[in-house]
Amino acid sequence: MTSPGRTDALDRPPRMAVGWPASNEEDVVEDATHGPDPGPIMQLGLGFWGSKTLLSAIELGVFTELGGGPERFDALTGRLGLHERSARDFLDGLVALGMLERDGDRYANTPSTDLFLDRNKPSYIGGMLEMANARLYGFWGSLTEALRTGQAQNETKHGAANPFEAIYADPATLAGFLKAMTGISRGIALAIADRFPWADHETYFDLGTAQGDMPVQVALAHPHISGGGMDLPVVAPHFEAHVAANGLTDRLRFEPGSFFTDPLPRADVLSMGHILHDWNLEEKMTLLSRAYDALPEGGALIVFDSMIDDERRRNAFGLMMSLNMLIETPGGFDYTGADCQRWMREVGFRETRVEHLVGPDSMAVGIK
Amino acid sequence: MTSPGRTDALDRPPRMAVGWPASNEEDVVEDATHGPDPGPIMQLGLGFWGSKTLLSAIELGVFTELGGGPERFDALTGRLGLHERSARDFLDGLVALGMLERDGDRYANTPSTDLFLDRNKPSYIGGMLEMANARLYGFWGSLTEALRTGQAQNETKHGAANPFEAIYADPATLAGFLKAMTGISRGIALAIADRFPWADHETYFDLGTAQGDMPVQVALAHPHISGGGMDLPVVAPHFEAHVAANGLTDRLRFEPGSFFTDPLPRADVLSMGHILHDWNLEEKMTLLSRAYDALPEGGALIVFDSMIDDERRRNAFGLMMSLNMLIETPGGFDYTGADCQRWMREVGFRETRVEHLVGPDSMAVGIK
């Protein structure tokens, strides 16, 4: 939270996705000489244009199609099944948004979109954005109602007891959700595998593990670590397939159950990633308390989420993620690193710390 | 279109609305040392979160409520009718997005949001964003279908012959639309009043004039100019009210009619602002040709829109606006300044030029 950065965030709106770069510099000058510039307001307000354009590009498989190399306009639009009317505006729009490159008539992925948005690459992180396109974009259309009522606006509006019941009920939705979680957590898993003092511990279980990418990345980086992941029974085949694909079946096992009602696995280290923000305060405290009870003396709990900065004025993504919990859950909300450390101490952890990981995510570590 | 700017747009994705400023600098460093950063992709893909948050804030009247000065959290949320669950995340999110300021427990508009998003100020530009919130956000949810079929996804999907028939059919929608057009065109109107050589001309008519803010701003700045605006008859009372409010009834009159089928008013200067992009190429040529025929020798036509940069790789807003024409119209599309000059010369204009105005908007001027 450097104060230059904070000043930046307060004194002028951040630059928007759908900008008008041709005149940005001029605008800044005009801004200084002729008072406030409406540009940033219009760009944020209409920012859903650029956002939905990328989501549709992922849905249409643009980046997967270009994963094989650059393609000419006609061949590309033909294979993507794009109507001629707006195909060029769509692709050139992706160029202007920095998601594609264009050389003459040939379109190509950028290094980033080639690595992260080609479904055929293991580094694909588009699952979360596929879910955003298929579910969240529409649900967020009811944000105003959510803000007035405090009620979720997703499948639960139509009878599901909680979003997971709805997501877990349909095999295709479940598979997509679990892959999505792996996609958005991969960079975090690598950071934790790299920065946490694993040498001091031998066993590790991840709670609400989905495909189990957290234990997989930790086990791959630290051959002395064994353990596994806990999630609802329906998740088992997805976990076992991912672990087997990484050749870790001998060291990582699946523990079926609910982290609210079933005994938690015994291990030196437990983690909850993108879990705590799904639940209300009472449920959060229950989860932290159950983790504390399951740990041995000297054991550690790792909690990570898109933690909001302690002053609640800089991590816009963390604050928007909390509004996403409003849209998606009955009582979930995101929180600051200070909140998480306070809760950890309330349930008994004697030592706590917070470390920034990657992007909007930070981890809080509690030592019993 | 400076090449540094272009390089910027090509080499790295633009900074997104929903950023994680707390770690942006670190990410840039990591980016340089550890290869591609997925952050910009996730921020663009989830950019609709920040966008819809601003749109809901405008709908809820946050900036109008704060137009009277800073307010404490409890008083503000009470008056806005916000449920306690997410009120603080919502308001702090607006702080992090640069749309509000916060001092202790008191929230305040920024200079920009106070000027442009308080409905009680004449400088209000929120009309377009109110329409985006009420109509476009939902329609854009069908962008993928639009890209595959080339078909509009707004009210016309359910029977309206064209979006204007739908918009003009409902008095409230019409009033909102006309105000919205004035809001987004105000800065442009001031720029054209300031930069066009009005001293060389005496009469001016704006085609598709809505509330008539273009002729109003020009007439206010140039007492020797008279003329008015043309639009469909239903628009008359809105035009006349705006002109009367500006004390210009003696110099500006309303010409009822369709610019496709009725005779165009005779004037030294004609303009079409945010009009040409609504129509397909044949209709565009018809409008340019009719304007040419109506002008005297030496007369000028001013066309302005969010013109796409000639290389179609920098003005993301102009390209997104063209996709918005896909969503909103049967055949409309945006275009480059080079396209517009070529079309103008095809219908007979002997001299043409393009000048950047403000934000994403440029004007093309054709001299007969």
Side-chain angles (χ1 to χ4, degrees), chain A residues 153-189:
Chain A
Q153 301 297 317
N154 63 0
E155 297 88 351
T156 60
K157 217 173 160 182
H158 313 296
N162 67 58
F164 301 109
E165 179 182 297
I167 292 169
Y168 282 39
D170 170 47
T173 310
L174 173 61
F177 173 75
L178 297 177
K179 272 188 61 186
M181 295 305 104
T182 296
I184 55 171
S185 301
R186 173 60 55 83
I188 298 162

Coordinates of all heavy atoms in Angstrom, one line a residue, chain A residues 153-189:
Chain A
Q153 N -28.2 -13.2 -6.1 CA -29.0 -13.0 -7.4 C -28.6 -14.2 -8.4 O -28.8 -14.0 -9.6 CB -28.6 -11.7 -8.0 CG -29.0 -10.5 -7.1 CD -30.5 -10.4 -6.9 OE1 -31.3 -10.6 -7.8 NE2 -30.8 -10.1 -5.6
N154 N -28.1 -15.3 -7.9 CA -27.8 -16.4 -8.8 C -28.8 -17.5 -8.8 O -30.0 -17.2 -8.5 CB -26.4 -16.9 -8.5 CG -26.4 -17.5 -7.1 OD1 -27.4 -17.5 -6.4 ND2 -25.2 -18.0 -6.7
E155 N -28.4 -18.7 -9.1 CA -29.4 -19.8 -9.1 C -30.2 -20.0 -7.8 O -31.3 -20.5 -7.8 CB -28.7 -21.2 -9.4 CG -27.9 -21.2 -10.7 CD -26.5 -20.7 -10.6 OE1 -26.1 -20.1 -9.6 OE2 -25.8 -20.9 -11.7
T156 N -29.6 -19.5 -6.7 CA -30.3 -19.6 -5.4 C -31.6 -18.8 -5.4 O -32.5 -19.1 -4.6 CB -29.4 -19.1 -4.2 OG1 -29.1 -17.7 -4.5 CG2 -28.2 -19.9 -4.2
K157 N -31.7 -17.8 -6.3 CA -32.9 -17.0 -6.4 C -34.1 -17.9 -6.9 O -35.2 -17.6 -6.6 CB -32.7 -15.9 -7.5 CG -33.3 -14.6 -7.1 CD -32.9 -13.5 -8.1 CE -33.8 -12.4 -8.2 NZ -33.4 -11.3 -9.2
H158 N -33.7 -19.0 -7.5 CA -34.7 -19.9 -8.1 C -34.8 -21.2 -7.3 O -35.0 -22.3 -7.9 CB -34.5 -20.1 -9.6 CG -34.3 -18.8 -10.3 ND1 -35.2 -17.8 -10.3 CD2 -33.2 -18.3 -10.9 CE1 -34.7 -16.7 -11.0 NE2 -33.5 -17.0 -11.3
G159 N -34.4 -21.2 -6.1 CA -34.6 -22.4 -5.2 C -33.5 -23.2 -4.7 O -33.6 -23.9 -3.7
A160 N -32.3 -23.1 -5.3 CA -31.2 -23.8 -4.8 C -30.8 -23.4 -3.4 O -30.9 -22.2 -3.1 CB -30.0 -23.7 -5.8
A161 N -30.5 -24.3 -2.5 CA -30.2 -23.9 -1.1 C -28.9 -23.0 -1.0 O -28.9 -22.1 -0.3 CB -30.0 -25.1 -0.3
N162 N -27.9 -23.4 -1.8 CA -26.7 -22.5 -1.9 C -26.1 -22.7 -3.3 O -26.4 -23.7 -4.0 CB -25.7 -22.9 -0.8 CG -25.1 -24.2 -0.9 OD1 -24.5 -24.5 -2.0 ND2 -25.3 -25.1 0.0
P163 N -25.2 -21.8 -3.7 CA -24.7 -21.8 -5.1 C -24.0 -23.1 -5.4 O -24.1 -23.6 -6.5 CB -23.8 -20.6 -5.1 CG -23.4 -20.3 -3.7 CD -24.6 -20.7 -2.9
F164 N -23.4 -23.7 -4.3 CA -22.6 -24.9 -4.6 C -23.6 -26.1 -4.9 O -23.3 -26.9 -5.7 CB -21.7 -25.2 -3.4 CG -20.7 -24.1 -3.1 CD1 -20.9 -23.3 -2.0 CD2 -19.7 -23.8 -4.1 CE1 -20.0 -22.2 -1.8 CE2 -18.9 -22.7 -3.9 CZ -19.0 -21.9 -2.8
E165 N -24.7 -26.1 -4.2 CA -25.7 -27.1 -4.5 C -26.0 -27.1 -6.0 O -26.1 -28.1 -6.7 CB -27.0 -26.9 -3.7 CG -28.0 -28.0 -3.9 CD -29.3 -27.7 -3.1 OE1 -29.2 -27.8 -1.9 OE2 -30.4 -27.4 -3.7
A166 N -26.3 -25.8 -6.5 CA -26.6 -25.7 -7.9 C -25.4 -26.1 -8.8 O -25.6 -26.8 -9.8 CB -27.0 -24.2 -8.1
I167 N -24.3 -25.6 -8.4 CA -23.1 -25.8 -9.3 C -22.7 -27.3 -9.3 O -22.4 -27.9 -10.3 CB -21.9 -25.0 -8.8 CG1 -22.2 -23.5 -9.1 CG2 -20.6 -25.4 -9.4 CD1 -21.2 -22.6 -8.4
Y168 N -22.8 -27.9 -8.0 CA -22.4 -29.3 -7.9 C -23.4 -30.3 -8.5 O -23.1 -31.4 -8.7 CB -22.1 -29.6 -6.4 CG -20.8 -29.1 -5.9 CD1 -20.3 -27.9 -6.3 CD2 -20.0 -29.9 -5.0 CE1 -19.1 -27.4 -5.9 CE2 -18.8 -29.4 -4.6 CZ -18.3 -28.2 -5.0 OH -17.1 -27.7 -4.5
A169 N -24.7 -29.8 -8.6 CA -25.8 -30.7 -9.1 C -25.6 -31.1 -10.6 O -25.9 -32.2 -10.9 CB -27.1 -30.0 -8.9
D170 N -25.0 -30.2 -11.4 CA -24.8 -30.5 -12.8 C -23.3 -30.9 -13.1 O -22.4 -30.1 -12.9 CB -25.2 -29.3 -13.6 CG -24.8 -29.5 -15.1 OD1 -25.1 -30.6 -15.6 OD2 -24.2 -28.5 -15.6
P171 N -23.1 -32.1 -13.5 CA -21.7 -32.6 -13.7 C -20.9 -31.6 -14.6 O -19.7 -31.3 -14.3 CB -21.9 -33.9 -14.5 CG -23.2 -34.4 -14.0 CD -24.1 -33.2 -13.9
A172 N -21.5 -31.1 -15.7 CA -20.7 -30.2 -16.6 C -20.4 -28.9 -15.9 O -19.3 -28.4 -15.9 CB -21.5 -29.9 -17.8
T173 N -21.4 -28.4 -15.1 CA -21.1 -27.1 -14.4 C -20.1 -27.4 -13.3 O -19.2 -26.5 -13.1 CB -22.4 -26.6 -13.7 OG1 -23.5 -26.6 -14.7 CG2 -22.2 -25.2 -13.1
L174 N -20.1 -28.5 -12.7 CA -19.2 -28.8 -11.6 C -17.8 -28.9 -12.2 O -16.8 -28.3 -11.7 CB -19.5 -30.2 -10.9 CG -18.5 -30.7 -9.9 CD1 -18.3 -29.7 -8.8 CD2 -18.9 -32.1 -9.4
A175 N -17.6 -29.7 -13.3 CA -16.3 -29.8 -13.9 C -15.7 -28.4 -14.3 O -14.6 -28.1 -14.0 CB -16.4 -30.7 -15.1
G176 N -16.6 -27.6 -14.9 CA -16.2 -26.3 -15.3 C -15.8 -25.4 -14.1 O -14.7 -24.8 -14.1
F177 N -16.6 -25.5 -13.0 CA -16.3 -24.8 -11.8 C -14.9 -25.2 -11.2 O -14.1 -24.4 -10.9 CB -17.4 -25.0 -10.8 CG -17.1 -24.4 -9.4 CD1 -17.2 -23.0 -9.2 CD2 -16.8 -25.2 -8.3 CE1 -17.0 -22.4 -8.0 CE2 -16.5 -24.6 -7.1 CZ -16.6 -23.2 -6.9
L178 N -14.7 -26.5 -11.1 CA -13.5 -27.0 -10.5 C -12.3 -26.6 -11.3 O -11.2 -26.2 -10.8 CB -13.6 -28.5 -10.4 CG -14.7 -29.1 -9.4 CD1 -14.7 -30.6 -9.4 CD2 -14.5 -28.5 -8.0
K179 N -12.4 -26.7 -12.7 CA -11.3 -26.3 -13.5 C -11.0 -24.8 -13.4 O -9.9 -24.3 -13.3 CB -11.6 -26.6 -15.0 CG -11.2 -28.0 -15.5 CD -11.4 -28.1 -17.0 CE -10.6 -27.1 -17.8 NZ -10.9 -27.1 -19.2
A180 N -12.2 -24.0 -13.2 CA -12.0 -22.6 -13.1 C -11.2 -22.3 -11.8 O -10.3 -21.4 -11.8 CB -13.4 -22.0 -13.0
M181 N -11.6 -23.0 -10.7 CA -10.9 -22.7 -9.5 C -9.4 -23.0 -9.6 O -8.5 -22.2 -9.2 CB -11.5 -23.6 -8.4 CG -12.9 -23.2 -8.0 SD -13.1 -21.4 -7.6 CE -13.9 -20.8 -9.1
T182 N -9.0 -24.1 -10.3 CA -7.6 -24.4 -10.6 C -7.0 -23.3 -11.4 O -5.9 -22.9 -11.0 CB -7.5 -25.8 -11.3 OG1 -8.0 -26.8 -10.5 CG2 -6.0 -26.1 -11.7
G183 N -7.7 -22.8 -12.4 CA -7.1 -21.8 -13.2 C -6.8 -20.5 -12.5 O -5.6 -20.0 -12.6
I184 N -7.7 -20.1 -11.7 CA -7.4 -18.8 -11.0 C -6.5 -19.0 -9.8 O -5.9 -18.0 -9.4 CB -8.7 -18.1 -10.5 CG1 -9.5 -19.0 -9.6 CG2 -9.5 -17.6 -11.6 CD1 -10.7 -18.2 -8.9
S185 N -6.3 -20.2 -9.3 CA -5.4 -20.4 -8.2 C -4.0 -20.9 -8.5 O -3.2 -20.9 -7.6 CB -6.1 -21.4 -7.2 OG -7.3 -21.0 -6.8
R186 N -3.8 -21.2 -9.8 CA -2.5 -21.8 -10.1 C -1.3 -20.9 -9.7 O -0.4 -21.3 -9.0 CB -2.4 -22.0 -11.7 CG -1.0 -22.5 -12.2 CD -0.5 -23.8 -11.6 NE -1.4 -24.9 -11.7 CZ -1.6 -25.7 -12.8 NH1 -0.8 -25.4 -13.8 NH2 -2.4 -26.7 -12.8
G187 N -1.4 -19.6 -10.1 CA -0.3 -18.7 -9.7 C -0.1 -18.6 -8.2 O 1.0 -18.5 -7.7
I188 N -1.2 -18.6 -7.5 CA -1.2 -18.6 -6.0 C -0.6 -19.8 -5.5 O 0.3 -19.8 -4.6 CB -2.7 -18.4 -5.5 CG1 -3.3 -17.1 -6.0 CG2 -2.7 -18.5 -4.0 CD1 -4.8 -17.0 -5.9
A189 N -1.0 -21.0 -6.0 CA -0.4 -22.3 -5.6 C 1.1 -22.3 -5.7 O 1.8 -22.7 -4.8 CB -1.1 -23.4 -6.3

